[in-house]
Amino acid sequence: MNESGDIKGKLTFAVTLMVSATLCFSVLVMVLALVFGLWFDNIDNAEIFKLISPAFQTIIGGFIGLLAGVKLSNADEDPPCRGNKK
């Protein structure tokens, strides 16, 4: 039984789950801020979009890159296209 592979798989799953939950929470908070800002008359909507848009793009891009990196680093040692040459 390969204990280190099992631990690595569990750790990767836990990190992926935490990153996904944080991404969902961040997106939800930003969307709620946009929605609340649209309903108040004393808040300029253009200012809200100027402030939140770059942060939104940065957070989304960063978390997607992190999830892709976790997925790629968890790949098998031997790619299936090379096979086992003996």
Side-chain angles (χ1 to χ4, degrees):
M1 181 177 275
N2 190 358
E3 290 290 328
S4 98
D6 188 39
I7 292 172
K8 183 179 178 184
K10 287 181 181 178
L11 183 62
T12 301
F13 177 74
V15 168
T16 304
L17 190 64
M18 284 187 280
V19 167
S20 299
T22 305
L23 176 62
C24 289
F25 181 74
S26 300
V27 170
L28 182 66
V29 168
M30 286 188 184
V31 168
L32 287 174
L34 286 172
V35 169
F36 285 135
L38 290 175
W39 293 108
F40 290 114
D41 292 335
N42 59 347
I43 298 175
D44 185 19
N45 293 335
E47 292 298 320
I48 291 175
F49 290 120
K50 268 198 258 181
L51 290 173
I52 291 182
S53 182
F56 191 74
Q57 292 172 358
T58 302
I59 289 173
I60 298 294
F63 279 120
I64 288 175
L66 181 62
L67 287 173
V70 166
K71 177 65 179 165
L72 290 175
S73 71
N74 197 27
D76 294 331
E77 301 298 326
D78 294 327
C81 60
R82 292 191 184 175
N84 293 330
K85 295 180 181 178
K86 293 181 181 181

